[in-house]
Each structure stands twice: as C-alpha cells, then as structure tokens.
Amino acid sequence: MSEDAAQYAVTPVTDPDAPLDVAAIRAQFPILERQVHGKPLVYFDTAASAQRPRAVIEAVSGFYETKNANIHRGVHLLSQEATDAYEGARTRIAKFINAPSRDELVFTRGTTESINLVAQAYLRPKLGPGDEIVVSRMEHHSNIVPWQMLCEQTGATLKVIPITDTGELDLDALDDLLTPNVKLLGIVHVSNALGTVNPVAEICALARERGIPVLVDGAQAAPHQRVDVQAIGCDFYCFSAHKMYGPTGIGALWAPMATLEAMEPYQGGGEMIRKVSFEGTEYAPPPGKFEAGTPNIAGAVGFGAAVDWLEGLGLDRVAAYEARLLAAGTEKLLTVPGLRIVGTAKRKAGVISFTLDGIHPHDIGTIIDHYGVAIRTGHHCAMPAIAHFNLPATARASLGVYNTVEEFDVLVDALNGVREMFG
Ligand code: PLP
C-alpha cells in the first residue's frame, strides 16, 4: 500500500474478518457531506460513476502540486518522479488484478477504449466474412457497438447469447453458439443493468476448450469483488478507474504479453515507438506500443491511489458488506407497492433495477432527486438487455461501499412519496 493509502486505510488489511467501519469510510468522501435540494445526499449511482475518497483526490492534486511533468525520456527530476508515479501506478494496478506482469497492463481511457483497442488492434486483422463474434444480450453498449462496427468493416457476423427472464445467461445457447467460426467471445463480468454476476471462469474454460479467445468486460466487477485474471482464465480484461473510486478518463486493458506482442498498434504517434524514420518505424514493446501520445498521467496516479484504497479496505470485505447491503436493500424496496425488480439472478452484485407500476422511471428519478436521492433512470447503455423485459427504461439504484441500510429507508420513503403523488 502507498503512503497515501496507508494514511486513509480504515481498518488494517491484516484483519480480513473485521467488518468494515462504514461511518469511517463515509467520512473519507467529502462529497457525502453536501446537501441536495436541502437534503443530505444519498448517492445510489455508483454503477455510473463512483464518488472519490480523499486519498484519490489528494493523490491527483498532490501530483499536480509536487511532481507534474511529462513522463518517460525526461532527464530532469520532475519528469523522473512523474514517470515513477505513472509506472508505479501501473505496477500496483497490475497486481490488483493478479496480472503475471506489470507490462501486460495497458492504460486506456477506460473500458470502452479497451474494448475498441481489442476490436481494432487484435481482431480486425484476423477477421473476414464467415467469421463470428459472440456477445450476450446483457452487454453494455461498449461491448456491442465496437463489434458491430468491426463486423461492418470485415464482413463478419455478430451472434448474441440470449438471457432468461431472471436476467441470467442462457448457458445452453452459449454452448451451441461457440462454433469453430467464432473468433472472439465478449462477455460482461457483472451486468450494470441487471446486477447479474456471470460465471466468467466457467465460460472462459468452455471457450478455451474450443480455442476461442474471451474478452471480459470487468467495469462493474473490479470495484466490488476480488478480480484475478489468471483464475478467470480470460484473454482480455477491461476496466475503468472511475467505477473504482478513481478518476475519470483512465482505465486499463489486461492481456497476456504474447497476445499484446502479436497485436497491431492501436494508434500511432509519440511514446509508442522505439525508432522512427521515413524508411519505417519500429514500435515500442507493450504496453508502450498501445499508449500513443501523452497519457493521462495524473489520472493513472489517481487510479493507483484508488486501488491502494480498495486494497486497504480489503476486496473480500467490500464484497461481503455490499452483499449484505444488497439483500437488505432489496427486501426494503420490495415493501413499496407496485415495485418490480428487473434482474433477479441467483448471483447478483450491487445493482437493483426496478419499475413502479404505471410510473415512468424518469419521473421516479426526477421526483426522488428532491429527496436528495440520486439514482439513474433509462436504458443504462444496455438497451437490448432492458428491451428483453419489454421495457424502455428502468430506475436503477446501484451501490458503493459508502452506502448504508439507512439510506435505503430514505429511498423507500422517497418512492412511497412518488406513489402518493401518482395516486
Ligand atoms: N461496461 C459496463 C458493464 C459498464 O457498466 C460501463 C459503464 O457504465 C462500461 C462498460 C463503459 O465504461 P466506460 O464508460 O468507463 O468506458
């Protein structure tokens, strides 16, 4: 753990069984002190973007205050310190997901860019008419649209794994879809729209038997459970810092070195080269090969602080706390007349999508904002998943490690208020 993270760690990681001190965690989030429409903020929109603890805010501002300079190639001290901070963050983030090597961790703008990078730099050169890409119906648009674009570019076909009415993958259909034509399977680890936790290790094992590489979209898993890319057995893992209590505009792609080495560069420019001449250009080895241009240096530093902070809490304790919160919150929400939960998988993470009979989700969200409660309403960038339930939209309460059972009481009160308004 970095010094910054140690300063803010709530309970020693050496005691994995101690419950989280949520009051102490909340005290580390300055934004939770603010009021919204004169009411204390109740933030249930972590799946869209988490709030940031002081450890992250101060890591970013501290970088700008004391180390700011461009990285790599600089001979002056500030540049060397900035490089150490950037590359140090890479090392810690790689360790966070148990990557075998820090050089396998490519910084990107986030999950979306990571997936586009794989589509264009890995798959595009291998793909042609007759080839297939498989994704599921519960994917975020960022794990659908890049593949659709790639299919248009190459003549390949996108196939879709159906989902059940509980919001789980139809695993029999998946089995049938994994034919020799499939050149990549893209699957979400935890659905942002339904909360479903997919059995990614089993799916990767099945795909591996058939020689099909798997990309896992880990945007909603990395903040909420321990992620071990080696145990999962995937070929690509994508995640975003801002869902993990870190800054926006930074995320990562993990892939094994041999895969990264064999891939084409994604973008050309400075930083990604070893040697340039008009006779030809030699690329830098990974991860530099995929990081053209000046990167989001302060973002990487903040990302490193965010994973330190999560490690300081202990991912297993975070997962255990959020599971209890999800169970208690679900029970409370079900007391609201006419409330229906959309996505009732056996294995769920902290996302509760719901509808209220006869009331549009946007009305729900707008009204309860005046109770200080922030939820998200709409299709959650997962239109096909929501359409499966014959709905245009849902309301979604999503959890972070700072939420409490008492905040669900506020949400339930607010929803009952909505009910009364609509008679
Ligand atoms: N995948 C999932 C499951 C998500 O929830 C999100 C964001 O909501 C993304 C991908 C896209 O992440 P980003 O916008 O950080 O690239």
Side-chain angles (χ1 to χ4, degrees):
M1 200 189 322
S2 72
E3 262 175 50
D4 285 348
Q7 184 185 347
Y8 291 105
V10 193
T11 2
V13 200
T14 44
D15 186 0
D17 296 327
L20 285 179
D21 181 348
V22 177
I25 291 174
R26 290 179 65 81
Q28 298 178 50
F29 286 81
I31 206 165
L32 296 180
E33 287 159 25
R34 71 159 286 178
Q35 305 239 312
V36 170
H37 303 300
K39 305 271 170 37
L41 168 64
V42 173
Y43 190 74
F44 276 132
D45 199 18
T46 294
S49 201
Q51 295 300 345
R52 281 63 160 153
R54 262 192 205 96
V56 169
I57 297 167
E58 290 178 6
V60 174
S61 60
F63 172 79
Y64 282 127
E65 283 169 13
T66 64
K67 296 195 172 112
N68 182 47
N70 210 333
I71 54 168
H72 302 143
R73 300 176 320 279
V75 291
H76 60 79
L77 184 66
L78 282 190
S79 175
Q80 287 166 15
E81 287 185 6
T83 303
D84 288 349
Y86 180 78
E87 292 300 338
R90 190 195 307 277
T91 304
R92 304 197 312 280
I93 297 160
K95 195 157 166 263
F96 182 78
I97 57 162
N98 197 28
S101 159
R102 65 179 300 285
D103 292 331
E104 297 175 347
L105 201 287
V106 179
F107 281 124
T108 62
R109 283 193 299 119
T111 306
T112 303
E113 190 177 47
S114 299
I115 296 171
N116 277 279
L117 193 165
V118 175
Q120 294 299 322
Y122 170 79
L123 202 52
R124 187 172 181 170
K126 298 183 196 303
L127 218 58
D131 290 333
E132 293 173 358
I133 301 167
V134 174
V135 296
S136 84
R137 181 153 189 168
M138 72 171 81
E139 301 307 312
H140 187 280
H141 297 162
S142 65
N143 204 19
I144 297 175
V145 183
W147 308 120
Q148 284 177 324
M149 290 165 63
L150 188 58
C151 287
E152 272 170 30
Q153 288 158 351
T154 61
T157 309
L158 188 63
K159 294 277 177 80
V160 184
I161 310 160
I163 58 175
T164 66
D165 290 343
T166 54
E168 288 162 303
L169 291 175
D170 180 338
L171 292 173
D172 293 334
L174 167 67
D175 195 42
D176 294 342
L177 281 168
L178 294 186
T179 69
N181 295 334
V182 178
K183 296 294 176 284
L184 185 125
L185 166 64
I187 198 82
V188 70
H189 195 164
V190 174
S191 158
N192 67 307
L194 307 170
T196 312
V197 181
N198 285 320
V200 285
E202 287 88 327
I203 292 171
C204 287
L206 181 69
R208 187 164 297 266
E209 277 170 20
R210 300 178 194 185
I212 298 169
V214 183
L215 174 144
V216 177
D217 169 355
Q220 298 295 343
H224 303 294
Q225 62 179 75
R226 189 161 290 290
V227 167
D228 179 335
V229 291
Q230 297 187 62
I232 293 171
C234 56
D235 298 87
F236 302 97
Y237 199 88
C238 309
F239 52 116
S240 300
H242 71 104
K243 316 269 191 204
M244 303 165 66
Y245 310 96
T248 45
I250 182 96
L253 165 69
W254 170 81
M257 184 48 68
T259 306
L260 292 175
E261 277 171 345
M263 277 162 65
E264 304 284 332
Y266 179 47
Q267 296 176 330
E271 298 278 341
M272 52 76 76
I273 52 88
R274 185 178 268 150
K275 198 166 146 222
V276 177
S277 76
F278 284 109
E279 283 65 53
T281 288
E282 226 177 89
Y283 304 126
K289 179 172 150 188
F290 302 104
E291 294 180 7
T294 300
N296 182 354
I297 307 166
V301 171
F303 193 1
V307 302
D308 289 344
W309 185 81
L310 275 168
E311 288 285 17
L313 299 181
L315 266 295
D316 295 333
R317 292 197 304 160
V318 168
Y321 175 70
E322 290 181 1
R324 282 201 303 279
L325 196 57
L326 175 68
T330 303
E331 207 178 303
K332 282 180 187 283
L333 282 176
L334 287 171
T335 64
V336 178
L339 187 142
R340 173 185 158 218
I341 291 183
V342 180
T344 48
K346 274 186 237 57
R347 285 190 65 212
K348 266 187 81 169
V351 167
I352 310 175
S353 262
F354 62 92
T355 55
L356 273 186
D357 261 3
I359 307 175
H360 196 282
H362 289 317
D363 292 331
I364 302 174
T366 309
I367 296 167
I368 72 172
D369 179 46
H370 287 268
Y371 288 75
V373 183
I375 60 163
R376 189 141 295 244
T377 61
H379 50 65
H380 318 295
C381 294
M383 278 188 187
I386 300 298
H388 171 83
F389 297 91
N390 294 318
L391 294 167
T394 67
R396 180 188 74 183
S398 59
L399 315 185
V401 69
Y402 32 60
N403 287 122
T404 63
V405 175
E406 292 71 32
E407 287 182 312
F408 272 103
D409 292 329
V410 181
L411 174 59
V412 166
D413 257 11
L415 293 174
N416 281 325
V418 175
R419 271 255 77 101
E420 273 166 32
M421 276 181 79
F422 280 81

Short mmCIF file of all heavy atoms in Angstrom, two decimals, residues 31-59:
data_model
loop_
_atom_site.label_atom_id
_atom_site.label_comp_id
_atom_site.label_asym_id
_atom_site.label_seq_id
_atom_site.Cartn_x
_atom_site.Cartn_y
_atom_site.Cartn_z
N ILE A 31 -17.74 14.64 -0.67
CA ILE A 31 -19.00 14.95 -1.36
C ILE A 31 -20.21 14.45 -0.57
O ILE A 31 -21.31 14.99 -0.71
CB ILE A 31 -19.00 14.39 -2.81
CG1 ILE A 31 -19.95 15.21 -3.68
CG2 ILE A 31 -19.35 12.92 -2.84
CD1 ILE A 31 -19.76 15.00 -5.17
N LEU A 32 -20.00 13.45 0.27
CA LEU A 32 -21.14 12.92 1.03
C LEU A 32 -21.60 13.88 2.13
O LEU A 32 -22.63 13.68 2.76
CB LEU A 32 -20.81 11.54 1.63
CG LEU A 32 -20.54 10.43 0.61
CD1 LEU A 32 -20.21 9.12 1.30
CD2 LEU A 32 -21.73 10.25 -0.34
N GLU A 33 -20.82 14.95 2.33
CA GLU A 33 -21.22 15.95 3.32
C GLU A 33 -22.19 16.97 2.71
O GLU A 33 -22.77 17.77 3.43
CB GLU A 33 -19.99 16.71 3.83
CG GLU A 33 -19.15 15.87 4.77
CD GLU A 33 -17.72 16.39 4.87
OE1 GLU A 33 -17.50 17.60 4.65
OE2 GLU A 33 -16.84 15.56 5.15
N ARG A 34 -22.30 16.97 1.39
CA ARG A 34 -23.12 18.04 0.79
C ARG A 34 -24.61 17.69 0.80
O ARG A 34 -25.02 16.56 0.98
CB ARG A 34 -22.65 18.40 -0.61
CG ARG A 34 -22.91 17.39 -1.67
CD ARG A 34 -22.88 18.05 -3.04
NE ARG A 34 -24.08 18.85 -3.26
CZ ARG A 34 -24.31 19.56 -4.36
NH1 ARG A 34 -23.42 19.60 -5.31
NH2 ARG A 34 -25.44 20.23 -4.51
N GLN A 35 -25.39 18.76 0.63
CA GLN A 35 -26.84 18.58 0.58
C GLN A 35 -27.29 18.72 -0.87
O GLN A 35 -26.64 19.40 -1.69
CB GLN A 35 -27.49 19.69 1.39
CG GLN A 35 -26.98 19.78 2.82
CD GLN A 35 -28.07 19.61 3.84
OE1 GLN A 35 -29.11 20.23 3.73
NE2 GLN A 35 -27.85 18.75 4.82
N VAL A 36 -28.40 18.08 -1.16
CA VAL A 36 -29.01 18.18 -2.50
C VAL A 36 -30.46 18.59 -2.27
O VAL A 36 -31.19 17.89 -1.56
CB VAL A 36 -28.93 16.82 -3.22
CG1 VAL A 36 -29.77 16.83 -4.48
CG2 VAL A 36 -27.48 16.49 -3.56
N HIS A 37 -30.86 19.72 -2.84
CA HIS A 37 -32.21 20.27 -2.59
C HIS A 37 -32.51 20.33 -1.09
O HIS A 37 -33.60 19.96 -0.64
CB HIS A 37 -33.28 19.44 -3.31
CG HIS A 37 -33.08 19.34 -4.79
ND1 HIS A 37 -33.05 20.44 -5.62
CD2 HIS A 37 -32.85 18.27 -5.59
CE1 HIS A 37 -32.83 20.04 -6.87
NE2 HIS A 37 -32.70 18.73 -6.87
N GLY A 38 -31.50 20.71 -0.32
CA GLY A 38 -31.69 20.88 1.13
C GLY A 38 -31.71 19.58 1.92
O GLY A 38 -31.99 19.59 3.13
N LYS A 39 -31.44 18.46 1.26
CA LYS A 39 -31.45 17.15 1.95
C LYS A 39 -30.06 16.52 1.86
O LYS A 39 -29.33 16.78 0.90
CB LYS A 39 -32.45 16.20 1.26
CG LYS A 39 -33.85 16.75 1.13
CD LYS A 39 -34.65 16.38 2.37
CE LYS A 39 -36.00 17.07 2.47
NZ LYS A 39 -36.74 17.27 1.24
N PRO A 40 -29.71 15.69 2.85
CA PRO A 40 -28.40 15.01 2.74
C PRO A 40 -28.36 14.16 1.46
O PRO A 40 -29.35 13.51 1.11
CB PRO A 40 -28.36 14.11 3.98
CG PRO A 40 -29.42 14.61 4.89
CD PRO A 40 -30.46 15.31 4.06
N LEU A 41 -27.23 14.20 0.80
CA LEU A 41 -27.09 13.41 -0.43
C LEU A 41 -27.12 11.91 -0.12
O LEU A 41 -26.40 11.42 0.75
CB LEU A 41 -25.75 13.75 -1.10
CG LEU A 41 -25.29 12.83 -2.24
CD1 LEU A 41 -26.26 12.90 -3.44
CD2 LEU A 41 -23.88 13.18 -2.69
N VAL A 42 -27.99 11.20 -0.85
CA VAL A 42 -27.99 9.73 -0.80
C VAL A 42 -27.59 9.29 -2.21
O VAL A 42 -28.37 9.43 -3.16
CB VAL A 42 -29.38 9.18 -0.42
CG1 VAL A 42 -29.41 7.67 -0.53
CG2 VAL A 42 -29.76 9.62 0.99
N TYR A 43 -26.38 8.79 -2.34
CA TYR A 43 -25.83 8.54 -3.68
C TYR A 43 -25.95 7.06 -4.03
O TYR A 43 -25.20 6.22 -3.53
CB TYR A 43 -24.37 8.99 -3.74
CG TYR A 43 -23.83 8.99 -5.16
CD1 TYR A 43 -24.20 9.97 -6.06
CD2 TYR A 43 -22.96 8.00 -5.58
CE1 TYR A 43 -23.72 9.97 -7.37
CE2 TYR A 43 -22.47 7.98 -6.88
CZ TYR A 43 -22.86 8.97 -7.76
OH TYR A 43 -22.37 8.97 -9.05
N PHE A 44 -26.91 6.77 -4.89
CA PHE A 44 -27.13 5.40 -5.35
C PHE A 44 -26.85 5.30 -6.85
O PHE A 44 -27.60 4.67 -7.59
CB PHE A 44 -28.57 4.96 -5.07
CG PHE A 44 -28.81 4.43 -3.68
CD1 PHE A 44 -29.89 4.88 -2.92
CD2 PHE A 44 -27.99 3.45 -3.13
CE1 PHE A 44 -30.13 4.38 -1.64
CE2 PHE A 44 -28.21 2.94 -1.85
CZ PHE A 44 -29.28 3.41 -1.10
N ASP A 45 -25.77 5.95 -7.31
CA ASP A 45 -25.46 5.92 -8.74
C ASP A 45 -24.01 5.53 -8.99
O ASP A 45 -23.37 6.01 -9.93
CB ASP A 45 -25.77 7.30 -9.36
CG ASP A 45 -25.93 7.21 -10.88
OD1 ASP A 45 -26.14 6.09 -11.41
OD2 ASP A 45 -25.84 8.25 -11.54
N THR A 46 -23.50 4.66 -8.13
CA THR A 46 -22.09 4.27 -8.23
C THR A 46 -21.79 3.47 -9.50
O THR A 46 -20.68 3.54 -10.02
CB THR A 46 -21.70 3.49 -6.96
OG1 THR A 46 -21.80 4.42 -5.87
CG2 THR A 46 -20.30 2.94 -7.01
N ALA A 47 -22.77 2.74 -10.02
CA ALA A 47 -22.50 1.97 -11.25
C ALA A 47 -22.22 2.92 -12.42
O ALA A 47 -21.49 2.56 -13.35
CB ALA A 47 -23.68 1.06 -11.58
N ALA A 48 -22.79 4.12 -12.38
CA ALA A 48 -22.49 5.10 -13.44
C ALA A 48 -21.10 5.68 -13.19
O ALA A 48 -20.26 5.74 -14.09
CB ALA A 48 -23.54 6.20 -13.47
N SER A 49 -20.86 6.14 -11.97
CA SER A 49 -19.53 6.62 -11.59
C SER A 49 -19.50 6.71 -10.07
O SER A 49 -20.43 7.25 -9.46
CB SER A 49 -19.26 8.00 -12.21
OG SER A 49 -17.87 8.23 -12.25
N ALA A 50 -18.44 6.18 -9.48
CA ALA A 50 -18.33 6.20 -8.02
C ALA A 50 -17.88 7.57 -7.55
O ALA A 50 -17.33 8.35 -8.33
CB ALA A 50 -17.32 5.15 -7.57
N GLN A 51 -18.09 7.86 -6.28
CA GLN A 51 -17.51 9.07 -5.69
C GLN A 51 -16.05 8.78 -5.32
O GLN A 51 -15.63 7.63 -5.32
CB GLN A 51 -18.34 9.50 -4.48
CG GLN A 51 -19.75 9.92 -4.85
CD GLN A 51 -19.79 11.10 -5.82
OE1 GLN A 51 -18.79 11.81 -6.01
NE2 GLN A 51 -20.94 11.33 -6.45
N ARG A 52 -15.29 9.86 -5.05
CA ARG A 52 -13.85 9.68 -4.78
C ARG A 52 -13.50 9.96 -3.33
O ARG A 52 -13.90 11.02 -2.81
CB ARG A 52 -13.02 10.66 -5.63
CG ARG A 52 -12.83 10.26 -7.06
CD ARG A 52 -14.10 10.19 -7.79
NE ARG A 52 -13.96 10.26 -9.22
CZ ARG A 52 -14.83 9.72 -10.05
NH1 ARG A 52 -15.85 9.03 -9.60
NH2 ARG A 52 -14.67 9.85 -11.33
N PRO A 53 -12.73 9.08 -2.71
CA PRO A 53 -12.26 9.36 -1.36
C PRO A 53 -11.11 10.38 -1.39
O PRO A 53 -10.47 10.57 -2.42
CB PRO A 53 -11.76 7.99 -0.88
CG PRO A 53 -11.33 7.30 -2.13
CD PRO A 53 -12.24 7.80 -3.23
N ARG A 54 -10.85 10.97 -0.23
CA ARG A 54 -9.76 11.97 -0.14
C ARG A 54 -8.43 11.40 -0.63
O ARG A 54 -7.63 12.11 -1.22
CB ARG A 54 -9.59 12.41 1.31
CG ARG A 54 -10.29 13.67 1.56
CD ARG A 54 -9.95 14.33 2.88
NE ARG A 54 -11.11 15.14 3.20
CZ ARG A 54 -12.08 14.76 3.99
NH1 ARG A 54 -12.01 13.62 4.63
NH2 ARG A 54 -13.13 15.54 4.18
N ALA A 55 -8.19 10.11 -0.38
CA ALA A 55 -6.90 9.52 -0.78
C ALA A 55 -6.68 9.69 -2.29
O ALA A 55 -5.56 9.95 -2.74
CB ALA A 55 -6.88 8.04 -0.42
N VAL A 56 -7.76 9.58 -3.06
CA VAL A 56 -7.65 9.71 -4.52
C VAL A 56 -7.55 11.18 -4.91
O VAL A 56 -6.69 11.58 -5.71
CB VAL A 56 -8.86 9.03 -5.22
CG1 VAL A 56 -8.92 9.37 -6.70
CG2 VAL A 56 -8.80 7.52 -5.00
N ILE A 57 -8.42 11.99 -4.31
CA ILE A 57 -8.42 13.43 -4.64
C ILE A 57 -7.04 14.03 -4.34
O ILE A 57 -6.47 14.76 -5.14
CB ILE A 57 -9.52 14.15 -3.82
CG1 ILE A 57 -10.90 13.61 -4.20
CG2 ILE A 57 -9.45 15.67 -4.04
CD1 ILE A 57 -12.03 14.02 -3.25
N GLU A 58 -6.49 13.65 -3.18
CA GLU A 58 -5.20 14.23 -2.79
C GLU A 58 -4.04 13.63 -3.58
O GLU A 58 -3.03 14.31 -3.80
CB GLU A 58 -4.99 14.07 -1.28
CG GLU A 58 -5.96 14.99 -0.52
CD GLU A 58 -5.87 14.88 0.99
OE1 GLU A 58 -4.98 14.16 1.50
OE2 GLU A 58 -6.72 15.51 1.65
N ALA A 59 -4.17 12.40 -4.02
CA ALA A 59 -3.11 11.83 -4.86
C ALA A 59 -3.02 12.61 -6.18
O ALA A 59 -1.93 12.92 -6.67
CB ALA A 59 -3.37 10.35 -5.13
#
